[in-house]
Amino acid sequence: MRKYKHIKTVLLMFVLIFTVACSEPDIEGYIIEIDEQRLLVAEDISIEKYEEIKDKTVNEIDRLSGHISLINLSYDDSSTFEKGDNVRVWIDGGIDESYPAQAGAKKIEVIE
């Protein structure tokens, strides 16, 4: 009986690890600006909307009709990305509700 209890514990651990490792991204969007260790991302927009706002300032984007959600992400390796990249982002901790919102990113991947 003890053997089966041990097997159940190991299986439960694998399920938990798999669930955490395969978690869904918190946001998807296009990179608008890149600074040292910081990315500005416009969330949930089409490529057409990105083309419309890509050269605008945050204030100009804010004044556009139809609010566009922006988030400043701190990320240690922002140099691996380019303006215009379509990305998936996993947030590390909470999101500071400002405009643009602010958060730390634990993982960012480019959508091909």
Side-chain angles (χ1 to χ4, degrees):
M1 246 346 177
R2 291 189 85 171
K3 182 178 179 182
Y4 291 113
K5 188 174 182 178
H6 180 67
I7 291 173
K8 285 182 183 179
T9 302
V10 171
L11 286 174
L12 180 60
M13 288 174 50
F14 278 118
V15 168
L16 290 173
I17 290 169
F18 181 76
T19 301
V20 170
C22 296
S23 65
E24 294 293 316
D26 296 298
I27 64 168
E28 291 186 12
Y30 286 89
I31 297 175
I32 304 295
E33 293 178 8
I34 301 174
D35 291 327
E36 192 173 310
Q37 298 183 339
R38 186 163 291 280
L39 303 167
L40 179 63
V41 174
E43 298 179 59
D44 301 320
I45 62 171
S46 65
I47 187 66
E48 293 80 17
K49 186 57 103 174
Y50 168 76
E51 290 295 330
E52 182 182 323
I53 67 169
K54 69 181 182 181
D55 296 319
K56 299 197 180 315
T57 66
V58 170
N59 289 336
E60 290 171 329
I61 293 170
D62 189 31
R63 281 183 259 152
L64 288 175
S65 61
H67 180 73
I68 295 173
S69 181
L70 298 177
I71 185 167
N72 262 317
L73 299 165
S74 59
Y75 192 67
D76 289 337
D77 199 10
S78 62
S79 65
T80 61
F81 301 100
E82 296 180 11
K83 184 177 175 177
D85 282 347
N86 189 9
V87 293
R88 290 184 185 105
V89 180
W90 287 260
I91 301 294
D92 186 17
I95 298 174
D96 180 16
E97 298 298 326
S98 57
Y99 193 78
Q102 308 214 11
K106 63 182 166 187
K107 179 181 173 185
I108 301 175
E109 67 180 28
V110 176
I111 300 170
E112 299 295 330

